[in-house]
Amino acid sequence: MAPHDIRRPFKRAAISDQQKRRELSLLRQAQNRRDAQQQARCLASSILSLQSAAPESQPEQSDTEIETVPESEQESEAFSKDLDVRQASKLRGPEVRKWFARQLMLPEWMIDVPDRLAQDWYVFARPAGKRCFVVSSNGTTVSRQRNGSILHHFPSALPAGAKIRDGSGSAQSYCILDCIFHELDQTYYVIDMVCWNGYSLYDCTAEFRFYWLNSKLEESGACNAPSHYHKFRFSAVPVYNCDSSGLYSAYTGVVPYAKDGLLFYNKHALYQTGNTPLALVWKDENCSQYVIDTDGKGEIPSQQQVVLELQDDRKLVTSDDPPVLFGCLDGDIIEKSGLHTGNLLRFAIGDGGLSFADGKLEKADLIYLGKSNRARAFADSYSKVLFQFMVRHSPLKIDDLLASINSANDQEKTPSDIEMVG
Amino acid sequence: MAMEVTQVLLHAQSIDGAVRKNAEDSLKQFQEQNLPVFLVSLSGELANEEKPVETRKLAGLVLKNALDAKEQHRKFELVQRWLSLDGNAKSQIKACLLTTLTSPVSDARSTASQVIAKVAGIELPHKQWPELIGSLLSNVHQLPAQAKQATLETLGYLCEEVSPDVIDQDQVNKILTAVVQGMSSSEGNTDVRLAATRALYNALGFAQANFSNDMERDYIMRVVCEATLSPEVRIRQAAFECLVSISSTYYEKLAPYIQDIFNITAKAVREDEEPVALQAIEFWSSICDEEIDILEEYGGDFTGDSDIPCFYFIKQALPALVPMLLETLLKQEEDQDQDEGAWNIAMAGGTCLGLVARTVGDDIVPLVVPFIEENISKPDWRQREAATYAFGSILEGPSPEKLIPLVNVALTFMLSALTKDPNSHVKDTTAWTLGRIFEFLHGSVVDSPIISQANCQQIITVLLQSMKDTPNVAEKACGALYFLAQGYEEMGPSSPLTPFFQEIVQSLLTVTHREDAGESRLRTAAYETLNEVVRCSTDETAPLVLQLVPVIMMELHNTLEGQKLSSDEREKQSELQGLLCGCLQVIIQKLGASEPTKYVFMQYADQIMGLFLRVFACRSATVHEEAMLAIGALAYATGADFAKYMPEFYRYLEMGLQNFEEYQVCAVTVGVVGDISRALEEKIVPYCDGIMTQLLKNLSSNQLHRSVKPPIFSCFGDIALAVGEYFEKYLLWAMSALQSAAELSTHIAGDDELVEYTNSLRNGILEAYSGIFQGFKNSPKTQLLIPYAPHILQFLDGIYMEKDMDDVVMKTAIGVLGDLADTLGSHAGSMIQQSVSSKDFLNECLSSEDLMIKESAEWAKLAISRAISV
């Protein structure tokens, strides 16, 4: 039985840095776990409170809110749409991608210049970045990308966007914004407003939505610099009437973000989910880094590539409604590659290109490449294929757009001239 | 046969490796062929006076190793094997062992003592060998001295081996009587007295009843105190060891003896040989430990019930104790600071002084200040060092109000001494003292800051300069910088260290490259300080932290450009990789915490991950804990993109989960699985089979340290939440593991440590349930969970009724109630209504003052009201 060692730590801190790192890691993990659980519960409880509270909570409403009762019909309609958004948060996998992709208004590509551009349209420079839905509700804000995945989960100064006990904003208040998240300055650029403080703007014209966006967003404090209860800055984008000076400003004007093309919105159009010809996107090298589509490696393929959906009768179609037929696939390939109806397939456009008759696609020279990336929810739209084709062969230039506005001006003058003479 | 064993055992000690190997193989073969005969012949060899002493000893050793092993599972196997051994063989072996105790050969006796204790350790808990203690003690008085000594030694080993509850009080009394009599001054034989004193050390744990009896306690204490005065130094040392053990085991019984003990210890500290003096000081350190614990408990929630009261021995002894300890400070050894293993009277005295300061607080200050003032400027370095050490020692314990005026005066002096004192020992202690000043008197906890803009610059300049001093001084300077940085944590958006950030980081990196950075753990200290500086940095210096990323990556890269390394070099390389991975972990966590820096940092993610994978590849059998921790932080920062690393990383993840021996590695890896689940969400599905299989295996293993099991359950929850209804595949297994753990953890019987463990187990189980319910929510498969609901509700009711859950469990438990109601809805409505949890427990949580409990309870209330209304 040897003597017992009684050495004590000498001139040493009681805890090792490694132990500290371990403990801090555990702390972080516990916090993240709590956040994940809290998030799952939050989404649920907001739905619970909406579904059950709508009738029940009326007696609790304060007197001042009675004035809003006439709007309740409209509100409950908004709820039903909003509810979809939140319930969809719990869909998984491909469902979620499809669902979210369907909720955003998706502009068509500009393959010809619409009439009355100067009178009926807005134009603005699209920020480069991730298109997403930002939903604030019940003290938290979540942004979801087109494919449904969560981009951020954060507190914001949007109504109901953070847990601040100032009592303002009823439990049912919430917002849905159509945004582009711009990485470089970590800012959400709001390109459209779908719901604001419980008030639905789905059925409002773009003119009203943009007006409301510009006045309300600033007012809410969401455009302020980030702080503890407001993790990301929001910003509106400068929107112009699409006359020649407006178009020129959008095209050349200095903005705090990297541009990715121009967006054109028809002033009278409601917020319509899915593809719409009432919103258009146009790009050239001067206002976008991404004019010609790149492949998975970020390189421009020598031949244009398109993604089409395979239908029952071997037909290959676009994602448009109604779909546009691009051709038929050989039965051999279908069998050999084990393809099924509904598969999204990638093709190159061969030297034969696309040929048109009467403004309609007549023939496409398609070369089968394989199945598309699993993350894809939809085939390409007709306008996209065409725009990409034009970019490679005879692009629609900014001068063409300006010329069209000017000639329209001329035309407008012309009739009045004629009247004078008549 | 017996002859053969002797030969083989002799060969087993041969210097010729081949012969030795051959002999070891035959021993192994023999054991496998016929275990009982093998063990009997070993005991015969040990008992045989004709045999050479080496083979007798070795035979005993092999026998001992057949009874016990370090690894728990191996030990368990050996115990089972012995218990099922043929009874005759066991009797023969025991008889041989007892005979050997009377051998004239001391080595044979001593070996037999140890083997007997091992056998007793196995058999006594099973109520076997009941006659052992009786036969050991039957004629202890008539035995010759050698046998008496061997018997007492055997009793000592036996008390070390078995737990007090397996020996009857009657037998305990006999043992203690024999032992204490053997210790007494009337025992003329030194070896006997020494053996008895050492035996008492182990037997003290059996003496609860005897220490409650005044007469018996007086007797034991008198004999122990007398033994501290024995002319034999080993007896004095062993007797003081007994006093140290008594001070913690029987603190509350010491009052009548404390004055005598003080006199004895003071004499020993001043006059006795070092090993004895060290034990004498340790007695007071140990009393401090006791009183610090008791007073901490008072500060917490003093109930006044059965808790041990504080007798304030230290406070009472203070006027005499402090001067005695201050004297020891002057007995430094040259170069003790360069010797990692050094432990001498000055070090023990200084350590004790620090404990005394923590015990009594302000009262120590006026007793130490004159000593400091008198010695701090003396020409003899020992006096300056002792004064500085005394100052450093009392910085923890007394109030800041008492200390800050002193520090304000001393700071400039210290800074000057650190640069100008000619003695390295003084500089070492000065740097250490500065570190203590910053640790305890700097930062947001202190009202009047000791560091101003004016002296901040000077402090940093001095510390950075000292980082070029000898390794031990430089290490302390790093430590001081560590606490300086820590004090500025949470100081707001702007840190006073910002202007020096670049210079500090550069100096620390330079230190890590010093040729002699391996000494005095200097390199480690430099990286730890760098980590703390990064952790406590503010947004202002984020760009500089970003610049550090490629620098540390390059360092890590360099460690991987390995030539062939010796095992020693490989160990050093692995240590350095650990430090670098640790540093990267801290940086990743820092930069990942805010979006703008995370965004810029992500450009390095691929390369960093590549480096971590190469670190893993350096080790053939086990993964590096530090790299694993860093990967957890990286996964959190990377999010879903982490999926691209999984194909390569997965094998190391699995390796980490299989590492039972280094259970910290296993625990860390389990945590990383959680990080990855949250980052990947459903993308983790391809790896789930492997991970879940391993986790379930780990749960059922009795080799894995129990502390890893609660996090494994939590991890089930993380995975279920990530993959949703896909978890169906594992549901049956996971639920059955959870259910049996839940049953075990409902009731706790045991000490505080067990209560704490059980609560952590409950928390893990509950987090698993939460994750599973939330994962399945809104899936068509929720009905799969319905059959488990009654048990889960029962579990919640059970732990509620036990009334011993902590706040964390309470919060998690009430959350599970909400999750169950939310996911199962009306299916569980009536079940929930019948549960106690949905009423009393919920109400208790709703009125809790803990906001997190309240929040979870409100959620549960909402979910329940919906479940039962539909």
Side-chain angles (χ1 to χ4, degrees), chain B residues 632-653:
Chain B
L634 187 67
Y636 169 60
T638 316
D641 284 348
F642 193 82
K644 63 181 168 184
Y645 308 127
M646 282 303 283
E648 239 187 306
F649 172 56
Y650 177 72
R651 53 185 291 232
Y652 300 112
L653 192 72

Side-chain angles (χ1 to χ4, degrees), chain B residues 490-502:
Chain B
E490 290 164 10
M491 272 277 186
S494 174
S495 163
L497 292 188
T498 297
F500 312 104
F501 190 88
Q502 183 92 350

Side-chain angles (χ1 to χ4, degrees), chain B residues 248-316:
Chain B
S248 58
T249 316
Y250 300 108
Y251 168 83
E252 74 278 14
K253 309 281 187 203
L254 280 181
Y257 318 105
I258 201 77
Q259 183 62 48
D260 289 338
I261 295 174
F262 179 79
N263 295 337
I264 295 169
T265 52
K267 189 168 150 54
V269 170
R270 291 199 168 102
E271 296 165 18
D272 212 327
E273 292 179 43
E274 188 163 67
V276 183
L278 287 175
Q279 292 292 345
I281 294 173
E282 179 61 19
F283 173 84
W284 292 102
S285 291
S286 167
I287 293 284
C288 289
D289 287 344
E290 291 303 312
E291 296 197 342
I292 289 169
D293 279 354
I294 295 169
L295 294 170
E296 245 170 38
E297 204 117 299
Y298 278 11
D301 50 346
F302 178 52
T303 50
D305 293 349
S306 59
D307 291 324
I308 298 170
C310 186
F311 287 91
Y312 299 101
F313 293 138
I314 299 294
K315 204 179 162 103
Q316 287 160 35

Side-chain angles (χ1 to χ4, degrees), chain A residues 155-211:
Chain A
S156 76
L158 296 173
K163 285 198 179 68
I164 310 172
R165 263 164 256 182
D166 62 359
S168 73
S170 68
Q172 284 101 11
S173 108
Y174 59 94
C175 298
I176 304 176
L177 303 177
D178 186 347
C179 296
I180 290 169
F181 181 68
H182 187 252
E183 292 275 13
L184 215 62
D185 61 358
Q186 297 283 300
T187 299
Y188 280 96
Y189 287 96
V190 185
I191 60 168
D192 212 333
M193 184 175 267
V194 185
C195 290
W196 183 260
N197 214 352
Y199 183 58
S200 169
L201 296 156
Y202 274 103
D203 300 321
C204 301
T205 61
E207 203 165 16
F208 180 78
R209 295 199 309 275
F210 285 2
Y211 157 75

